[in-house]
Amino acid sequence: MMESDERRALSAMMEQGSLLPIDRKRLSAPGIRTFLAIADQWLLTEDQRRKVLGSPAPSTYRRWRREASNGLSFSLSLDVLARLSNLLGIHAALSQLFTEQRLAVEWMHSPHAAPPFDGQSPLDLMTTGHLDGLMATRRFLAAAQQGLYVLPNAIDVDSTPYTEEEIQIR
């Protein structure tokens, strides 16, 4: 996985829009290696992996994978690096919100009624090929981390809402 300092540097530079060519070259191979590890954890198909990365040609995707695995240096576009930055944020949020990786993977593959998913899974939204799907998923999880949206759990299944008579303000 990408070192935490490199992850923070990538996120900070992407937010500031100050990613120099030398930084792109330095972060591209570790970014792809980290992406591949996360994609393995999330059980992504090769087609889903390519869509998350912006739908590069299969030969381009295989070249990135091969060069990153062999420790070779190459430069990804700012678009692909922005996708990797969002993916790292999603992965970090899932790690904080779920106690087990299995639960995070189930969440990624399950349909959700909450906006922005509207009945589709987060993975479906993230694999539209558009950066917006990754960004929307990352924002949703950031809100969940801050308590702005709480993911339903087992206790919520059988709960009933309070009636007005049960609510007392003193």
Side-chain angles (χ1 to χ4, degrees), residues 49-69:
R49 292 169 191 233
R50 289 183 43 248
K51 286 180 180 176
V52 167
L53 293 174
S55 300
S59 60
T60 301
Y61 171 72
R62 285 191 300 273
R63 180 175 47 82
W64 291 345
R65 198 175 62 200
R66 183 181 63 251
E67 289 177 358
S69 296

Side-chain angles (χ1 to χ4, degrees), residues 40-131:
D40 286 345
Q41 288 177 0
W42 291 352
L43 310 173
L44 301 186
T45 65
E46 184 162 329
D47 185 55
Q48 289 171 323
R49 292 169 191 233
R50 289 183 43 248
K51 286 180 180 176
V52 167
L53 293 174
S55 300
S59 60
T60 301
Y61 171 72
R62 285 191 300 273
R63 180 175 47 82
W64 291 345
R65 198 175 62 200
R66 183 181 63 251
E67 289 177 358
S69 296
N70 292 328
L72 300 176
S73 186
F74 59 96
S75 292
L76 295 170
S77 70
L78 287 176
D79 177 73
V80 174
L81 288 170
R83 291 166 183 279
L84 292 175
S85 176
N86 278 279
L87 183 103
L88 291 170
I90 292 166
H91 184 263
L94 289 172
S95 297
Q96 290 179 350
L97 292 168
F98 293 96
T99 56
E100 299 175 37
Q101 180 183 324
R102 172 188 59 81
L103 298 174
V105 171
E106 286 176 16
W107 185 85
M108 289 291 293
H109 288 266
S110 300
H112 300 284
F117 308 112
D118 297 323
Q120 61 184 344
S121 72
L123 189 55
D124 289 338
L125 183 61
M126 292 168 50
T127 57
T128 60
H130 302 288
L131 180 57

